[in-house]
């Protein structure tokens, strides 16, 4: 019997970058052009096998508009990972991403796994944010970075698999949800 | 002779003039004729008064009338004295009453009388076969008198002529007179004698005409005029002379030749003196004179007869004496005449002397001169005679012409009369024919009527039979309809019940199905850990279930209860979920809503609808509040919402348009976010799901206008949903705008949608307080599983349940929310938890609880039940408590935020101190990685 680990993941990012779409694609494998904007937050779960464990993602999708930022702590509190999404066609959204990273670093849980998703990669011909910028930034903060397309189901599974891998395996001696494993170790593992 | 005109004023010579006058009354000797006449007339008047019926016939009919002269170019009225001659039944007329010789006579025996009102007052006509006399009385009454009298006299004459020998003067015929009177009674009452105009008395008066005396002189009868004048003179002489020469009359009679000679001699002298043409002018008048004299004589025998008749009775001595007196007077007048003749003789002798002078003229020369003078005179006279003869001829010609003209006119008149007569005959014939036809057609109609009546009666009988037949048929059909209707009703009821049952069963089936699918899903999740045979089975079952699902959906098309895809406001009734179990859930929802509606239709909805239909003018009241809480029927919702909105928002005219202009000219910072959200608004509503939907531009304008209207808020995600719902219900763009304003600025507390959404967060804390107060068990459950309900409920409050509740319930919540305010949100939020309390309490896993909470609002199908919980079970719900809690929590939150800021600041400071070390570490790690 495989052990099920519940992992709380929150999605952050500017409005309209495709947070809900990524969740929708990941959970339901479905894409809707006009998915309703999230007010407050939206909650979804998906169980993914990872090694000899089952990772049950408890995904909290948040509202993108800036005035909802004040609510964000409710969602990222106790999160194992945060997916920070930007729109590769909008430079602004990348700027907002940086703000989120900063906030997470300041108020977020310690050791939270951060994954940067450059969404709408299907629209690369109108790209505003170069791949390199994102990669460089991700490296600077020690975050996973991947360019995704919720519309075309590009790198969505991979994004969450990446997160799964970043989550340290459950220590039988520790009951804590919050795997207090050093970032350095994890990166070395992936590498 | 020159005294002629004056003589009219002279006393009247009664016996000579009025031959027919009542002789009895001429007895007063020595008195003037005028006096006598007055006397006689007054006596006559008395007679009339005393014994009118008897004396009427005896009364002399005489008086002045105007006669229309027919000869000559100008027709003029001439005053004439008319006198009726009983013996001959002639009406004689004179110039004056004193004249002895009449100007003419009218034979009444063969005459007819006529009066025409159109000719003028008092004008009447006497028609004889030879001539028409037009006469005029002074008044209408007088005219009538004349006509009646003339009629009477004519009748008397005609009747007496038949009975008695001609010339009989026996006029008194009482039965006849009576009859005449009686006859008159039939037509006209006997006209009273107009004493001033008729009778002998009138003779004494001057002719009533105002015209000159000359006008009255008859041009037609010049000789009669002269004669009358002469007679008048003679009459005067008789009076003066007082010699009785009665026998003159008889002498005239016996020796008419002598008289003629005598008169001739006299006239010769008169003419010589008067005209100075003794020889030539004498001829014609003399002939006339002879004629007149003869006529006069022929008129006189009546007197003699009368006299002889009256002489026969022996006791008439006094009468004779009187007669003697009269005759004596006549003798006087005759003497006067003799004198006159003597004078004439003298004149003749004078002439004789002149002749003698001539004869005895001394010289032939003188004689010749005289003869020459005479010859010249004769030649002159001859030429004058010729001229006169010429003139006479001409006049005769003219006369002949006139006569022929008259003849023509007469013929014409005759013709016209004939024509008239013919026309009258035609008219008569036609009238008769018409009368005949009228009577004929009437008869015909009668017969037809009778026939048709009979037919119609028959027909009526038939129809009555038919009616009876139809009545019975109708009754039967009525009973049939009644029965069939009852059958139909019961069948319909059965059907309805079956449908409801079916819906319930379907719902239950779907629930079962969903549960089964849930189980399958769980099994699928567990597949990796299952034995391969079991895993295979599970996979097969899932496959089968999905196919069955498709098959079932196909069958749904023939379902008796097809759930329409969209509701009245365009919301999808069955949300198009992509995940299978959600699909099933949606189906369950739709079916449950349907069955709920079916169940509540008759019991709740209909009476409510009736109540709403009776609501006229809207005014705030407890009754209206409870009605609104039960939900406004679709057909009334817009009206009520508009009323609520306009009650709270003072519609500034042009404000909205101004905002629109502003938003067009300047781009609001919120514009980008609005554009981003527009296509993502109410995606489950057909009016918004399509990018080409007409409501999207409207929504854009409303949101842009609002962002300018309230720059402090600008645009907050969620306002798009509020505005969208407002647009769906209110339709009008401006109303939707004001509705949004009403919600944001009136209903919600300040800062609900502003930068930090602080009051929204406050409300979440307040709500948790209420939850632990009203549903303590549930709250304890949540605390046990570390469930933060605000993660779920936050958006309920922010967008007033849009996208959380099914549209049917959502709009009912909105009805109450718009009318009552935020408390409604609290009530419903609590009610939603209470509605599902037991269900939640059964779940003992935090993730499961969250999963459940994510969808549980959509699982609420019974709006009535929810409403009852919200407004009844949760009471009391004092507003004061809500306000207090809000203020308390706001304070708390603000201090917390403040602390958080302080912590943040402290952290930033700490981080800043640690930074170099951290950075080193990171950098080393990166190096390591590489």
């Amino acid at each position: 019997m495989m052990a099920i680990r519940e992992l709380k993941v929150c999605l952050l990012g500017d409005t309209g970058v495709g947070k809900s779409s990524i969740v929708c694609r990941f959970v339901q494998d479905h894409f809707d052009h006009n998915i309703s904007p999230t007010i407050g937050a939206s909650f979804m779960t998906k169980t993914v096998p990872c090694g000899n464990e089952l990772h049950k993602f408890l995904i909290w999708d948040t509202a993108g508009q800036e005035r909802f930022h004040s609510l964000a702590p409710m969602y990222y509190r106790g999160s194992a990972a945060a997916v920070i999404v930007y729109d590769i066609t909008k430079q602004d959204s990348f700027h907002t991403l940086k703000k989120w990273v900063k906030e997470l670093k300041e108020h977020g849980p310690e050791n939270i796994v951060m994954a940067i998703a450059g969404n709408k990669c299907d629209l690369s011909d109108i790209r505003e944010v170069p791949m390199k910028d994102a990669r460089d930034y991700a490296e600077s903060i020690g975050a996973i970075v991947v360019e995704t397309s919720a519309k075309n189901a590009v790198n969505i599974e991979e994004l969450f698999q990446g997160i799964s891998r970043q989550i340290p395996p459950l220590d039988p001696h520790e009951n804590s949800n919050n795997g207090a494993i050093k970032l350095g170790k994890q990166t070395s593992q992936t590498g | 002779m020159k005294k002629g005109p004056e003589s009219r004023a002279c006393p009247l010579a009664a016996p000579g003039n009025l031959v027919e006058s009542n002789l009895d009354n001429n007895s007063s000797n020595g008195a003037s004729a005028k006096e006598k006449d007055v006397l006689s007339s007054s006596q006559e008047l008395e007679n009339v008064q005393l014994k009118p019926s008897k004396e009427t016939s005896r009364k002399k009919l005489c008086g002045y009338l105007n006669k229309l002269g027919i000869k000559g170019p100008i027709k003029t009225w001439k005053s004439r004295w008319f006198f009726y001659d009983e013996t001959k039944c002639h009406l004689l007329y004179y110039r004056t009453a004193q004249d002895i010789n009449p100007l003419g006579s009218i034979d009444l025996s063969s005459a007819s009388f006529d009066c025409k009102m159109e000719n003028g007052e008092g004008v009447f006509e006497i028609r004889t076969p030879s001539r028409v006399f037009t006469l005029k009385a002074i008044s209408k009454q007088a005219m009538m008198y004349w006509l009646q009298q003339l009629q009477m006299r004519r009748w008397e004459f005609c009747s007496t002529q038949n009975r008695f020998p001609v010339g009989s003067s026996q006029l008194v015929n009482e039965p006849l007179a009576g009859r005449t009177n009686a006859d008159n009674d039939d037509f006209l009452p006997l006209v009273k004698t107009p004493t001033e105009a008729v009778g002998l008395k009138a003779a004494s008066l001057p002719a009533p005409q105002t015209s000159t005396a000359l006008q009255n002189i008859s041009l037609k009868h010049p000789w009669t005029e002269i004669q009358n004048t002469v007679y008048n003179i003679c009459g005067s002489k008789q009076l003066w002379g007082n010699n009785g020469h009665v026998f003159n009359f008889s002498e005239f009679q016996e020796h008419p030749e002598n008289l003629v000679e005598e008169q001739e001699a006299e006239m010769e002298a008169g003419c010589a003196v008067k005209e100075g043409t003794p020889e030539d002018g004498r001829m014609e008048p003399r002939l006339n004179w002879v004629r007149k004299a003869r006529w006069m004589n022929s008129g006189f025998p009546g007197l003699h007869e009368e006299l002889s008749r009256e002489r026969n009775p022996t006791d008439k001595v006094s009468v004779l004496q009187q007669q003697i007196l009269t005759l004596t007077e006549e003798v006087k007048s005759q003497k006067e005449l003799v004198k006159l003749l003597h004078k004439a003789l003298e004149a003749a002798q004078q002439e004789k002397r002149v002749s003698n002078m001539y004869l005895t003229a001394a010289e032939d020369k003188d004689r010749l001169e005289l003869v020459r003078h005479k010859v010249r005179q004769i030649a002159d006279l001859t030429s004058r005679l010729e001229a006169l003869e010429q003139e006479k001829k001409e006049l005769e010609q003219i006369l002949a012409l006139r006569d022929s003209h008259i003849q023509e006119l007469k013929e014409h008149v005759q013709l016209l009369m004939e024509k008239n007569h013919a026309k009258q005959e035609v008219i008569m014939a036609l009238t008769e024919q018409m009368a005949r036809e009228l009577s004929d057609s009437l008869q015909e109609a009668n017969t037809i009527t009778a026939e048709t009546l009979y037919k119609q009666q028959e027909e009526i009988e038939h129809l009555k039979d038919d009616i009876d037949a139809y009545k019975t048929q109708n009754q039967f059909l009525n009973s049939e309809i009644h029965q069939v209707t009852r059958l139909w009703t019961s069948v319909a009821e059965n059907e309805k019940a079956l449908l409801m049952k079916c819906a319930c069963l379907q719902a239950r089936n779907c629930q079962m199905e969903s549960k089964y699918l849930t189980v399958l899903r769980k099994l699928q999740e567990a597949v990796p850990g299952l034995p391969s045979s079991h895993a295979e089975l599970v996979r097969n079952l899932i496959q089968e279930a999905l196919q069955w699902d498709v098959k079932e959906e196909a069958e749904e098309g023939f379902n008796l209860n097809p759930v329409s895809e969209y509701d009245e406001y365009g919301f999808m009734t069955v949300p198009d979920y992509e995940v299978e179990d959600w699909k099933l859930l949606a189906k369950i929802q739709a079916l449950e809503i349907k069955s709920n509606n079916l169940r509540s239709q008759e019991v709740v909805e209909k009476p409510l609808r009736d109540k709403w239909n009776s609501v006229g003018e809207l005014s705030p009241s407890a009754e209206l509040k409870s009605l609104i809480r039960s939900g406004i029927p679709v057909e009334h919702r817009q009206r009520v919402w508009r009323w609520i909105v306009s009650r709270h928002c003072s519609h500034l005219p042009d404000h909205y348009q101004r905002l629109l202009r502003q938003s067009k000219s300047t781009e609001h910072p919120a514009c980008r976010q609005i554009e981003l959200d527009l296509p993502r608004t109410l995606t489950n509503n057909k009016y918004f799901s399509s990018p080409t939907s007409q409501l999207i531009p409207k929504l854009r304008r409303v949101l842009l206008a609002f962002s300018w209207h309230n720059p402090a808020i600008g645009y907050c995600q969620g306002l798009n949903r509020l505005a969208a719902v407002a647009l769906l219900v209110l339709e009008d763009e401006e109303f939707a705008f004001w509705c949004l304003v009403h919600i944001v600025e009136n209903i919600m507390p300040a800062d609900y949608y502003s930068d930090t959404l602080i009051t929204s967060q406050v409300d979440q804390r307040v709500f948790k307080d209420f939850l632990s107060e009203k549903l303590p068990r549930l709250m304890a459950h949540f605390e046990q599983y570390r469930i933060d309900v605000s993660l779920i409920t936050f958006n309920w409050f922010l967008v007033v349940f849009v996208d959380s509740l099914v549209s049917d319930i959502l709009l009912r919540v909105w009805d109450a929310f718009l009318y009552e305010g935020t408390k409604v949100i609290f009530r419903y939020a609590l009610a939603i938890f209470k509605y599902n309390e037991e269900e939640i309490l059964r779940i003992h896993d935090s993730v499961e609880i969250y999963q459940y909470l994510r969808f549980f609002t959509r699982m609420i199908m019974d709006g009535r039940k929810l409403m009852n919980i919200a407004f009844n079970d949760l009471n009391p719900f004092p507003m004061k408590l809500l306000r207090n809690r809000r203020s308390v929590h706001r304070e708390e939150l603000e201090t917390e935020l403040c602390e958080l800021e302080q912590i943040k600041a402290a952290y930033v400071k700490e981080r800043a101190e640690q930074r170099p070390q951290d950075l080193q570490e990171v950098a080393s790690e990166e190096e390591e990685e590489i």
Side-chain angles (χ1 to χ4, degrees), chain B residues 61-65 81-84 91 113 124 126 135-138 140-152 191 194 197-199:
Chain B
L61 178 62
C62 54
Y64 274 109
L65 287 170
W81 172 258
F82 280 82
F83 185 85
Y84 177 67
L91 189 65
F113 313 113
F124 63 98
I126 300 170
L135 305 173
K136 186 179 177 183
I138 56 155
K140 198 178 159 187
Q141 197 205 356
M143 179 195 79
M144 288 315 298
Y145 171 80
W146 270 102
L147 289 169
Q148 278 181 354
Q149 288 298 322
L150 287 169
Q151 274 179 332
M152 208 192 292
V191 178
V198 295

Side-chain angles (χ1 to χ4, degrees), chain B residues 621-634:
Chain B
S621 67
E623 198 192 350
L624 185 69
K625 189 167 148 182
S626 76
L627 263 179
I628 288 174
R629 282 180 173 184
S630 337
I632 305 166
V634 179

Side-chain angles (χ1 to χ4, degrees), chain A residues 1-2 6 8 14-17 27-28 30-45 47 54 56 58 60 63-68 70-71 73-75 77 90 92-93 103-107 120 138-142 182-184 187-188 190-191, chain B residues 525 528-529 576 578-579 582 672-673 676-677 679-683 689 691 712-718 720-721 753-757 761 768 788 790-792 794-795 798-799 803 845-848 850-851 854-855 897 900 903-904 907-908 911 921-922 925-926 928-929:
Chain A
M1 184 82 182
M2 290 168 99
E6 285 178 358
K8 184 181 177 182
D14 204 355
T15 178
V17 293
V27 175
Q28 299 169 0
H30 174 255
F31 178 78
D32 187 347
H33 264 291
N34 295 318
I35 193 164
S36 289
T38 312
I39 304 291
S42 158
F43 177 72
M44 283 197 195
T45 62
T47 308
L54 285 175
K56 187 173 188 177
L58 316 177
W60 287 96
Q65 201 188 9
E66 198 176 353
R67 67 186 70 188
F68 290 89
S70 56
L71 300 169
M74 286 200 293
Y75 305 106
R77 195 181 298 142
K90 287 200 171 73
D92 282 353
S93 64
E103 184 171 338
L104 279 174
K105 294 243 173 198
E106 285 169 5
H107 304 289
K120 306 190 186 177
E139 276 178 21
S140 74
I141 59 164
K182 290 236 172 174
L183 248 155
T187 45
S188 64
T190 33
Chain B
E525 279 171 15
D576 185 22
E578 285 306 311
V579 183
W582 292 2
R672 190 180 143 258
Q673 186 66 58
L676 207 60
D677 287 350
R680 318 191 277 173
T681 306
L682 300 189
T683 48
S689 55
I713 291 167
Y715 174 72
C716 174
Q717 283 190 316
N720 58 335
R721 300 189 200 181
Y753 300 95
S754 60
D755 262 349
T756 53
L757 311 176
Q761 294 184 59
K768 279 179 195 165
D788 185 354
S790 65
L791 295 177
I792 304 295
F794 182 82
N795 69 19
L798 203 75
V799 297
D803 283 341
D845 177 78
S846 65
V847 177
E848 288 291 312
Y850 273 127
Q851 276 285 40
R854 220 190 118 219
F855 270 101
L897 283 174
L900 202 70
I903 292 165
K904 224 185 211 175
Y907 175 79
V908 168
R911 280 290 294 258
E921 208 177 316
V922 169
E925 279 168 5
E926 277 170 356
E928 237 176 279
E929 202 177 347

Side-chain angles (χ1 to χ4, degrees), chain B residues 1-14:
Chain B
M1 292 285 262
K2 282 175 187 171
K3 284 178 184 174
E6 290 165 20
S7 69
R8 264 194 284 161
C10 289
L12 179 68

